[in-house]
Every structure is written in C-alpha cells, then in structure tokens.
CSV table of all heavy atoms in Angstrom, one decimal:
chain,number,residue,atom,x,y,z
A,20,ARG,N,186.4,61.3,-74.3
A,20,ARG,CA,187.6,60.6,-74.3
A,20,ARG,C,187.7,59.6,-73.2
A,20,ARG,O,188.3,58.5,-73.3
A,20,ARG,CB,188.8,61.6,-74.3
A,20,ARG,CG,188.9,62.4,-75.6
A,20,ARG,CD,190.0,63.5,-75.5
A,20,ARG,NE,190.2,64.2,-76.7
A,20,ARG,CZ,191.0,65.2,-76.9
A,20,ARG,NH1,191.8,65.6,-75.9
A,20,ARG,NH2,191.1,65.8,-78.1
A,21,MET,N,187.2,60.0,-72.0
A,21,MET,CA,187.2,59.1,-70.9
A,21,MET,C,186.4,57.8,-71.2
A,21,MET,O,186.7,56.7,-70.8
A,21,MET,CB,186.7,59.8,-69.6
A,21,MET,CG,187.6,60.8,-69.1
A,21,MET,SD,189.2,60.2,-68.6
A,21,MET,CE,188.8,59.2,-67.2
A,22,ALA,N,185.2,58.0,-71.9
A,22,ALA,CA,184.4,56.9,-72.2
A,22,ALA,C,185.1,56.0,-73.2
A,22,ALA,O,185.0,54.7,-73.1
A,22,ALA,CB,183.1,57.4,-72.8
A,23,LEU,N,185.8,56.6,-74.2
A,23,LEU,CA,186.6,55.8,-75.1
A,23,LEU,C,187.7,54.9,-74.4
A,23,LEU,O,187.9,53.8,-74.8
A,23,LEU,CB,187.2,56.7,-76.2
A,23,LEU,CG,188.1,56.0,-77.3
A,23,LEU,CD1,187.2,55.1,-78.1
A,23,LEU,CD2,188.7,57.1,-78.2
A,24,ILE,N,188.3,55.5,-73.4
A,24,ILE,CA,189.4,54.8,-72.7
A,24,ILE,C,188.7,53.7,-71.9
A,24,ILE,O,189.3,52.5,-71.9
A,24,ILE,CB,190.1,55.8,-71.7
A,24,ILE,CG1,190.9,56.8,-72.5
A,24,ILE,CG2,191.0,55.0,-70.7
A,24,ILE,CD1,191.5,57.9,-71.7
A,25,GLU,N,187.6,53.9,-71.3
A,25,GLU,CA,187.0,52.9,-70.5
A,25,GLU,C,186.6,51.7,-71.4
A,25,GLU,O,186.8,50.5,-71.0
A,25,GLU,CB,185.7,53.4,-69.8
A,25,GLU,CG,186.0,54.4,-68.7
A,25,GLU,CD,186.5,53.9,-67.4
A,25,GLU,OE1,186.6,52.6,-67.3
A,25,GLU,OE2,186.7,54.7,-66.5
A,26,LEU,N,186.0,52.0,-72.5
A,26,LEU,CA,185.6,50.9,-73.4
A,26,LEU,C,186.8,50.1,-74.0
A,26,LEU,O,186.8,48.9,-74.0
A,26,LEU,CB,184.8,51.5,-74.6
A,26,LEU,CG,183.4,51.8,-74.3
A,26,LEU,CD1,182.7,52.5,-75.6
A,26,LEU,CD2,182.6,50.6,-74.0
A,27,SER,N,187.9,50.8,-74.3
A,27,SER,CA,189.1,50.2,-74.8
A,27,SER,C,189.6,49.2,-73.7
A,27,SER,O,190.0,48.1,-74.0
A,27,SER,CB,190.1,51.2,-75.2
A,27,SER,OG,189.6,52.1,-76.2
A,28,LEU,N,189.7,49.7,-72.5
A,28,LEU,CA,190.3,48.9,-71.4
A,28,LEU,C,189.3,47.8,-71.0
A,28,LEU,O,189.8,46.8,-70.3
A,28,LEU,CB,190.6,49.8,-70.2
A,28,LEU,CG,191.7,50.9,-70.5
A,28,LEU,CD1,191.9,51.7,-69.2
A,28,LEU,CD2,193.0,50.2,-70.9
A,29,TRP,N,188.0,47.9,-71.3
A,29,TRP,CA,187.1,46.8,-71.0
A,29,TRP,C,187.4,45.6,-71.9
A,29,TRP,O,187.4,44.5,-71.5
A,29,TRP,CB,185.7,47.3,-71.2
A,29,TRP,CG,184.6,46.3,-70.8
A,29,TRP,CD1,184.4,45.1,-71.3
A,29,TRP,CD2,183.7,46.5,-69.7
A,29,TRP,NE1,183.3,44.5,-70.6
A,29,TRP,CE2,182.9,45.3,-69.6
A,29,TRP,CE3,183.5,47.5,-68.8
A,29,TRP,CZ2,181.9,45.2,-68.6
A,29,TRP,CZ3,182.5,47.3,-67.8
A,29,TRP,CH2,181.7,46.2,-67.8
A,30,PHE,N,187.6,45.9,-73.2
A,30,PHE,CA,187.8,44.8,-74.2
A,30,PHE,C,189.2,44.3,-74.3
A,30,PHE,O,189.4,43.2,-74.8
A,30,PHE,CB,187.2,45.3,-75.6
A,30,PHE,CG,185.7,45.4,-75.6
A,30,PHE,CD1,185.1,46.6,-75.5
A,30,PHE,CD2,185.0,44.2,-75.8
A,30,PHE,CE1,183.7,46.7,-75.5
A,30,PHE,CE2,183.6,44.3,-75.8
A,30,PHE,CZ,182.9,45.5,-75.7
A,31,LEU,N,190.2,45.1,-74.1
A,31,LEU,CA,191.6,44.7,-74.3
A,31,LEU,C,191.9,43.4,-73.5
A,31,LEU,O,192.6,42.6,-74.1
A,31,LEU,CB,192.5,45.9,-73.8
A,31,LEU,CG,194.0,45.5,-73.9
A,31,LEU,CD1,194.4,45.2,-75.4
A,31,LEU,CD2,194.8,46.7,-73.4
A,32,PRO,N,191.5,43.3,-72.3
A,32,PRO,CA,191.9,42.0,-71.6
A,32,PRO,C,191.4,40.7,-72.3
A,32,PRO,O,192.0,39.7,-72.2
A,32,PRO,CB,191.3,42.2,-70.2
A,32,PRO,CG,191.2,43.6,-70.0
A,32,PRO,CD,190.9,44.2,-71.3
A,33,TYR,N,190.3,40.9,-73.0
A,33,TYR,CA,189.7,39.7,-73.6
A,33,TYR,C,190.7,39.3,-74.8
A,33,TYR,O,190.8,38.1,-75.1
A,33,TYR,CB,188.3,39.9,-74.1
A,33,TYR,CG,187.4,40.3,-73.0
A,33,TYR,CD1,186.3,41.2,-73.2
A,33,TYR,CD2,187.5,39.7,-71.7
A,33,TYR,CE1,185.5,41.5,-72.2
A,33,TYR,CE2,186.7,40.0,-70.7
A,33,TYR,CZ,185.6,40.9,-70.9
A,33,TYR,OH,184.8,41.2,-69.9
A,34,LEU,N,191.3,40.2,-75.4
A,34,LEU,CA,192.2,39.9,-76.5
A,34,LEU,C,193.5,39.3,-75.9
A,34,LEU,O,194.0,38.3,-76.4
A,34,LEU,CB,192.6,41.2,-77.3
A,34,LEU,CG,191.4,41.9,-78.0
A,34,LEU,CD1,191.9,43.1,-78.6
A,34,LEU,CD2,190.8,40.9,-79.0
A,35,THR,N,194.1,39.9,-74.9
A,35,THR,CA,195.3,39.5,-74.3
A,35,THR,C,195.2,38.2,-73.5
A,35,THR,O,196.0,37.3,-73.7
A,35,THR,CB,195.9,40.6,-73.4
A,35,THR,OG1,195.0,41.0,-72.4
A,35,THR,CG2,196.3,41.8,-74.2
A,36,VAL,N,194.1,38.1,-72.7
A,36,VAL,CA,193.9,36.8,-72.0
A,36,VAL,C,193.5,35.7,-73.0
A,36,VAL,O,194.0,34.6,-72.8
A,36,VAL,CB,192.8,37.0,-70.9
A,36,VAL,CG1,192.5,35.7,-70.2
A,36,VAL,CG2,193.3,38.0,-69.9
A,37,GLY,N,192.7,36.0,-74.0
A,37,GLY,CA,192.4,35.0,-75.0
A,37,GLY,C,193.6,34.5,-75.7
A,37,GLY,O,193.7,33.3,-75.9
A,38,LEU,N,194.5,35.4,-76.0
A,38,LEU,CA,195.8,35.0,-76.6
A,38,LEU,C,196.6,34.1,-75.7
A,38,LEU,O,197.1,33.0,-76.1
A,38,LEU,CB,196.6,36.2,-77.0
A,38,LEU,CG,198.0,35.9,-77.7
A,38,LEU,CD1,197.8,35.1,-78.9
A,38,LEU,CD2,198.7,37.2,-77.9
A,39,ALA,N,196.7,34.4,-74.4
A,39,ALA,CA,197.4,33.6,-73.5
A,39,ALA,C,196.7,32.2,-73.3
A,39,ALA,O,197.4,31.2,-73.2
A,39,ALA,CB,197.4,34.3,-72.1
A,40,MET,N,195.4,32.2,-73.3
A,40,MET,CA,194.7,30.9,-73.2
A,40,MET,C,195.0,30.0,-74.5
A,40,MET,O,195.2,28.8,-74.4
A,40,MET,CB,193.2,31.1,-73.1
A,40,MET,CG,192.8,31.7,-71.7
A,40,MET,SD,191.0,32.0,-71.7
A,40,MET,CE,190.8,32.2,-69.9
A,41,TRP,N,195.0,30.7,-75.6
A,41,TRP,CA,195.2,29.9,-76.9
A,41,TRP,C,196.6,29.4,-76.9
A,41,TRP,O,196.9,28.2,-77.2
A,41,TRP,CB,195.0,30.9,-78.1
A,41,TRP,CG,195.3,30.2,-79.4
A,41,TRP,CD1,194.6,29.3,-80.0
A,41,TRP,CD2,196.4,30.5,-80.2
A,41,TRP,NE1,195.2,28.9,-81.2
A,41,TRP,CE2,196.3,29.6,-81.4
A,41,TRP,CE3,197.5,31.3,-80.1
A,41,TRP,CZ2,197.3,29.6,-82.4
A,41,TRP,CZ3,198.5,31.3,-81.2
A,41,TRP,CH2,198.3,30.5,-82.3
A,42,LEU,N,197.6,30.2,-76.4
A,42,LEU,CA,199.0,29.7,-76.4
A,42,LEU,C,199.2,28.6,-75.4
A,42,LEU,O,200.1,27.7,-75.6
A,42,LEU,CB,199.9,30.9,-76.1
A,42,LEU,CG,200.1,32.0,-77.1
A,42,LEU,CD1,200.9,33.1,-76.6
A,42,LEU,CD2,200.7,31.4,-78.4
A,43,ARG,N,198.4,28.6,-74.3
A,43,ARG,CA,198.6,27.6,-73.3
A,43,ARG,C,197.6,26.4,-73.4
A,43,ARG,O,197.5,25.5,-72.6
A,43,ARG,CB,198.4,28.2,-71.9
A,43,ARG,CG,199.5,29.3,-71.6
A,43,ARG,CD,199.3,30.0,-70.3
A,43,ARG,NE,199.4,29.1,-69.2
A,43,ARG,CZ,200.5,28.7,-68.6
A,43,ARG,NH1,201.7,29.2,-69.1
A,43,ARG,NH2,200.6,27.9,-67.6
A,44,GLY,N,196.8,26.4,-74.5
A,44,GLY,CA,195.9,25.3,-74.7
A,44,GLY,C,194.7,25.3,-73.8
A,44,GLY,O,194.1,24.2,-73.5
A,45,THR,N,194.3,26.4,-73.3
A,45,THR,CA,193.1,26.5,-72.4
A,45,THR,C,192.0,27.3,-73.0
A,45,THR,O,191.3,28.0,-72.2
A,45,THR,CB,193.5,27.0,-71.0
A,45,THR,OG1,194.1,28.3,-71.1
A,45,THR,CG2,194.5,26.0,-70.3
A,46,SER,N,191.9,27.3,-74.3
A,46,SER,CA,190.9,28.2,-74.9
A,46,SER,C,189.4,27.9,-74.5
A,46,SER,O,188.5,28.7,-74.6
A,46,SER,CB,191.0,28.1,-76.4
A,46,SER,OG,192.2,28.5,-76.9
A,47,ARG,N,189.2,26.6,-73.9
A,47,ARG,CA,187.9,26.3,-73.5
A,47,ARG,C,187.4,27.2,-72.3
A,47,ARG,O,186.2,27.2,-72.1
A,47,ARG,CB,187.9,24.8,-73.0
A,47,ARG,CG,188.8,24.6,-71.7
A,47,ARG,CD,188.9,23.2,-71.3
A,47,ARG,NE,189.6,23.0,-70.1
A,47,ARG,CZ,190.9,23.1,-69.9
A,47,ARG,NH1,191.7,23.4,-71.0
A,47,ARG,NH2,191.5,23.0,-68.7
A,48,LEU,N,188.4,27.9,-71.7
A,48,LEU,CA,188.0,28.7,-70.6
A,48,LEU,C,187.6,30.1,-71.0
A,48,LEU,O,187.2,31.0,-70.2
A,48,LEU,CB,189.2,28.9,-69.6
A,48,LEU,CG,189.7,27.6,-68.9
A,48,LEU,CD1,190.9,27.9,-68.1
A,48,LEU,CD2,188.6,26.9,-68.1
A,49,PHE,N,187.7,30.4,-72.3
A,49,PHE,CA,187.5,31.8,-72.8
A,49,PHE,C,186.1,32.3,-72.5
A,49,PHE,O,185.9,33.4,-72.0
A,49,PHE,CB,187.8,31.9,-74.3
A,49,PHE,CG,187.7,33.3,-74.8
A,49,PHE,CD1,188.7,34.2,-74.6
A,49,PHE,CD2,186.6,33.7,-75.6
A,49,PHE,CE1,188.6,35.5,-75.0
A,49,PHE,CE2,186.5,35.0,-76.0
A,49,PHE,CZ,187.5,35.9,-75.7
A,50,ASP,N,185.1,31.5,-72.9
A,50,ASP,CA,183.7,32.0,-72.7
A,50,ASP,C,183.3,32.2,-71.3
A,50,ASP,O,182.8,33.2,-70.9
A,50,ASP,CB,182.7,31.0,-73.4
A,50,ASP,CG,182.6,31.2,-74.9
A,50,ASP,OD1,183.3,32.1,-75.4
A,50,ASP,OD2,181.9,30.4,-75.6
A,51,PRO,N,183.7,31.2,-70.4
A,51,PRO,CA,183.4,31.4,-69.0
A,51,PRO,C,184.2,32.6,-68.4
A,51,PRO,O,183.7,33.4,-67.6
A,51,PRO,CB,183.9,30.1,-68.3
A,51,PRO,CG,183.8,29.1,-69.4
A,51,PRO,CD,184.1,29.8,-70.6
A,52,MET,N,185.4,32.9,-69.0
A,52,MET,CA,186.2,34.0,-68.5
A,52,MET,C,185.5,35.3,-68.9
A,52,MET,O,185.4,36.2,-68.1
A,52,MET,CB,187.6,34.0,-69.2
A,52,MET,CG,188.5,35.1,-68.8
A,52,MET,SD,188.3,36.6,-69.9
A,52,MET,CE,188.9,35.9,-71.5
A,53,VAL,N,184.9,35.4,-70.1
A,53,VAL,CA,184.2,36.6,-70.6
A,53,VAL,C,183.1,36.9,-69.6
A,53,VAL,O,182.8,38.0,-69.2
A,53,VAL,CB,183.8,36.5,-72.0
A,53,VAL,CG1,182.9,37.6,-72.4
A,53,VAL,CG2,185.0,36.4,-72.9
A,54,VAL,N,182.3,35.9,-69.4
A,54,VAL,CA,181.1,36.0,-68.5
A,54,VAL,C,181.5,36.5,-67.1
A,54,VAL,O,180.9,37.5,-66.6
A,54,VAL,CB,180.3,34.7,-68.4
A,54,VAL,CG1,179.1,34.9,-67.4
A,54,VAL,CG2,179.7,34.4,-69.8
A,55,THR,N,182.4,35.8,-66.5
A,55,THR,CA,182.8,36.2,-65.1
A,55,THR,C,183.5,37.6,-65.1
A,55,THR,O,183.2,38.3,-64.2
A,55,THR,CB,183.8,35.1,-64.5
A,55,THR,OG1,184.9,34.9,-65.4
A,55,THR,CG2,183.1,33.8,-64.4
A,56,MET,N,184.3,37.9,-66.1
A,56,MET,CA,185.0,39.2,-66.0
A,56,MET,C,184.0,40.3,-66.3
A,56,MET,O,184.1,41.4,-65.7
A,56,MET,CB,186.1,39.2,-67.1
A,56,MET,CG,187.3,38.3,-66.7
A,56,MET,SD,188.1,38.8,-65.2
A,56,MET,CE,188.9,40.3,-65.7
A,57,ASN,N,183.0,40.1,-67.2
A,57,ASN,CA,182.0,41.2,-67.4
A,57,ASN,C,181.2,41.5,-66.1
A,57,ASN,O,181.1,42.6,-65.8
A,57,ASN,CB,181.1,40.7,-68.5
A,57,ASN,CG,181.6,41.0,-69.9
A,57,ASN,OD1,182.5,41.9,-70.1
A,57,ASN,ND2,181.1,40.3,-70.9
A,58,TRP,N,180.8,40.4,-65.4
A,58,TRP,CA,180.0,40.7,-64.2
A,58,TRP,C,180.9,41.1,-63.1
A,58,TRP,O,180.4,41.8,-62.2
A,58,TRP,CB,179.1,39.5,-63.9
A,58,TRP,CG,178.1,39.2,-65.0
A,58,TRP,CD1,177.9,38.1,-65.7
A,58,TRP,CD2,177.0,40.1,-65.4
A,58,TRP,NE1,176.9,38.3,-66.6
A,58,TRP,CE2,176.3,39.5,-66.4
A,58,TRP,CE3,176.7,41.4,-65.0
A,58,TRP,CZ2,175.2,40.1,-67.1
A,58,TRP,CZ3,175.6,42.0,-65.6
A,58,TRP,CH2,174.9,41.4,-66.6
A,59,LEU,N,182.1,40.6,-63.0
A,59,LEU,CA,183.0,41.1,-62.0
A,59,LEU,C,183.2,42.6,-62.2
A,59,LEU,O,183.3,43.3,-61.1
A,59,LEU,CB,184.4,40.4,-62.1
A,59,LEU,CG,185.5,40.9,-61.2
A,59,LEU,CD1,185.1,40.7,-59.7
A,59,LEU,CD2,186.8,40.2,-61.5
A,60,ASN,N,183.3,43.1,-63.4
A,60,ASN,CA,183.4,44.5,-63.6
A,60,ASN,C,182.3,45.3,-63.0
A,60,ASN,O,182.6,46.4,-62.5
A,60,ASN,CB,183.5,44.8,-65.1
A,60,ASN,CG,184.9,44.5,-65.7
A,60,ASN,OD1,185.9,44.5,-65.0
A,60,ASN,ND2,184.9,44.3,-67.0
A,61,VAL,N,181.1,44.8,-63.0
A,61,VAL,CA,180.0,45.5,-62.3
A,61,VAL,C,180.3,45.7,-60.9
A,61,VAL,O,180.1,46.8,-60.3
A,61,VAL,CB,178.7,44.8,-62.6
A,61,VAL,CG1,177.5,45.5,-61.8
A,61,VAL,CG2,178.3,44.7,-64.0
A,62,LEU,N,180.7,44.6,-60.2
A,62,LEU,CA,181.1,44.6,-58.8
A,62,LEU,C,182.2,45.6,-58.5
A,62,LEU,O,182.2,46.4,-57.6
A,62,LEU,CB,181.4,43.2,-58.3
A,62,LEU,CG,181.3,42.9,-56.8
A,62,LEU,CD1,179.8,43.2,-56.4
A,62,LEU,CD2,181.7,41.5,-56.5
A,63,ILE,N,183.2,45.6,-59.4
A,63,ILE,CA,184.3,46.5,-59.3
A,63,ILE,C,183.9,48.0,-59.4
A,63,ILE,O,184.3,48.8,-58.6
A,63,ILE,CB,185.4,46.2,-60.3
A,63,ILE,CG1,186.1,44.9,-60.0
A,63,ILE,CG2,186.4,47.3,-60.4
A,63,ILE,CD1,187.1,44.4,-61.0
A,64,TYR,N,183.0,48.2,-60.4
A,64,TYR,CA,182.6,49.6,-60.6
A,64,TYR,C,181.6,50.1,-59.5
A,64,TYR,O,181.6,51.3,-59.2
A,64,TYR,CB,181.9,49.8,-62.0
A,64,TYR,CG,182.9,50.0,-63.1
A,64,TYR,CD1,183.2,49.0,-64.0
A,64,TYR,CD2,183.6,51.2,-63.2
A,64,TYR,CE1,184.1,49.2,-65.0
A,64,TYR,CE2,184.5,51.5,-64.2
A,64,TYR,CZ,184.8,50.4,-65.1
A,64,TYR,OH,185.7,50.7,-66.1
A,65,ILE,N,180.9,49.2,-58.9
A,65,ILE,CA,180.1,49.6,-57.7
A,65,ILE,C,181.0,50.2,-56.6
A,65,ILE,O,180.8,51.2,-56.0
A,65,ILE,CB,179.3,48.4,-57.2
A,65,ILE,CG1,178.2,48.1,-58.2
A,65,ILE,CG2,178.7,48.7,-55.8
A,65,ILE,CD1,177.4,46.8,-57.8
C-alpha cells in the first residue's frame, strides 16, 4: 500500500500541473517540467 501511495503521488502532480499549464497557455513547459521534476525527486528521496 505504501508503494501504491508513492506511485500515485509521483504521477498526480503531472496531471494537476499539466492542467494548470494548459489553462494558462504554458503547455510548452510540460515536457521540461516532467524531466526536471523526475530528477528532482531523486535528489529529494536521497
């Protein structure tokens, strides 16, 4: 269950931030955001 929670919370921000970017007309930032957030998570988990 803890693993399921971690995975859910990993992907949820991409949906919510992606929606915010789409609403604000900054969808071009989505791919760079995914890359930076994924690798930022490694630093956070360290």
Side-chain angles (χ1 to χ4, degrees):
R20 290 176 178 179
M21 291 300 295
L23 180 60
I24 291 170
E25 294 282 3
L26 282 175
S27 299
L28 296 179
W29 188 295
F30 287 99
L31 178 62
Y33 300 145
L34 299 176
T35 55
V36 175
L38 176 61
M40 287 179 170
W41 178 71
L42 292 173
R43 297 176 66 83
T45 57
S46 296
R47 68 186 183 282
L48 300 177
F49 183 77
D50 284 356
M52 180 272 293
V53 170
V54 173
T55 53
M56 292 297 288
N57 276 339
W58 295 119
L59 173 64
N60 281 337
V61 176
L62 205 56
I63 289 172
Y64 276 106
I65 289 172

